[in-house]
Amino acid sequence: MEIGALAERVRVSGNLKFDVPPPAETALVAQLKEAFERADAGPVLVCGSTMEGEEPLLMRGFENVLASHPRALMVLAPRHPERFDRVAGLLQQLGTKYWRRSEWRGEPVSGGVFLLDSIGELASAYSLADLAFVGGSLVSYGGHNILEPALFGVATVVGASYQNFRDIVSLFQQNQAVRIVGAAELPLVFMELVDSPAQRKALGQRGLETLRQQMGSTERTLQALLELMGKGPTASRR
């Protein structure tokens, strides 16, 4: 096979990001599951990798959810550690009941925000979600990886700024496997999905199926590279 054709195979063999397995359950997730059960908490919204300017918009949507679902809980994970204190200050200013992960001792939580002021615990926390929002997308940042909630079949919402992951989001959008919203419609979409478990479940399942269809990219890319170096099956038939 010509080098140009093989190079094209490498290019289209898939996005290697799809081959990341779901993270193992962490001690925090196990503790939160127990705490949610004791508090009869739900629905649970996990809003991850949020950036400056997004938290006030998310809280506006969550306040609507709380009005109809007083035991709802948002797990809020700002992207950068230097913003943890500022986001806590915002929650305090809004009068929102909240718990900081760094100070939490396992007590029941519901009807407020669990501020995930830690590093490395967000990916597994998506497994707790009934609904997920992936940040950096309501502001002009370019978005973050929507595959983390998709690995758990969680219905996922993003804003319109997703150019950092354009190929992945566009694929999901083609399969109706993600909801893309503007800041003004975010509260309405939150309520729509929270109040429709069947719609929410279907959205999450389409996301998981889209991800599964793309798995195997690592193996396909490896085979194409081996052929390019003259070591693969095609090369051996010459």
Side-chain angles (χ1 to χ4, degrees), residues 2-233:
E2 294 182 356
I3 289 179
L6 277 170
E8 178 64 9
R9 277 190 57 191
V10 171
R11 186 187 71 79
V12 302
S13 60
N15 192 319
L16 302 186
K17 292 180 178 179
F18 284 102
D19 283 348
V20 178
E25 180 175 286
T26 63
L28 173 65
V29 167
Q31 292 169 345
L32 282 173
K33 283 181 177 178
E34 182 181 351
F36 292 173
E37 184 175 347
R38 282 187 284 140
D40 193 23
V44 178
L45 287 71
V46 176
C47 300
S49 300
T50 58
M51 303 294 290
E52 187 73 37
E54 289 188 310
E55 289 88 6
L57 300 173
L58 291 167
M59 289 307 302
R60 192 178 308 157
F62 185 57
E63 287 168 1
N64 289 347
V65 173
L66 278 175
S68 300
H69 303 272
R71 293 186 181 276
L73 189 82
M74 176 188 286
V75 177
L76 179 60
R79 178 72 173 179
H80 298 124
E82 61 268 22
R83 299 190 57 246
F84 291 162
D85 287 343
R86 293 206 299 274
V87 175
L90 170 67
L91 297 174
Q92 186 170 8
Q93 180 182 351
L94 293 173
T96 303
K97 182 166 62 172
Y98 73 97
W99 301 260
R100 292 187 69 149
R101 187 270 184 270
S102 58
E103 300 172 356
W104 184 63
R105 297 297 177 264
E107 64 271 20
V109 290
S110 71
V113 174
F114 187 89
L115 179 58
L116 195 60
D117 58 345
S118 62
I119 300 297
E121 295 183 307
L122 171 61
S124 59
Y126 278 119
S127 66
L128 300 166
D130 295 297
L131 178 63
F133 170 82
V134 179
S137 58
L138 284 176
V139 294
S140 298
Y141 183 82
H144 295 295
N145 193 354
I146 67 171
L147 296 182
E148 290 181 339
L151 283 165
F152 297 104
V154 175
T156 302
V157 177
V158 297
S161 176
Y162 55 83
Q163 59 268 26
N164 293 344
F165 293 87
R166 183 176 301 279
D167 290 346
I168 293 176
V169 175
S170 295
L171 175 63
F172 273 61
Q173 186 180 22
Q174 291 169 18
N175 293 335
Q176 298 182 359
V178 66
R179 290 289 296 271
I180 301 174
V181 302
E185 61 184 319
L186 178 70
L188 298 176
V189 172
F190 272 4
M191 286 302 306
E192 175 188 341
L193 292 173
V194 163
D195 287 339
S196 179
Q199 181 181 355
R200 194 172 66 232
K201 182 178 179 181
L203 179 61
Q205 285 301 309
R206 289 194 296 270
L208 180 58
E209 183 58 30
T210 298
L211 187 154
R212 285 174 172 167
Q213 289 172 358
Q214 299 299 313
M215 286 181 170
S217 298
T218 301
E219 179 64 25
R220 291 192 296 271
T221 300
L222 177 61
Q223 291 303 317
L225 288 171
L226 287 173
E227 291 181 24
L228 184 61
M229 295 185 294
K231 298 180 180 181

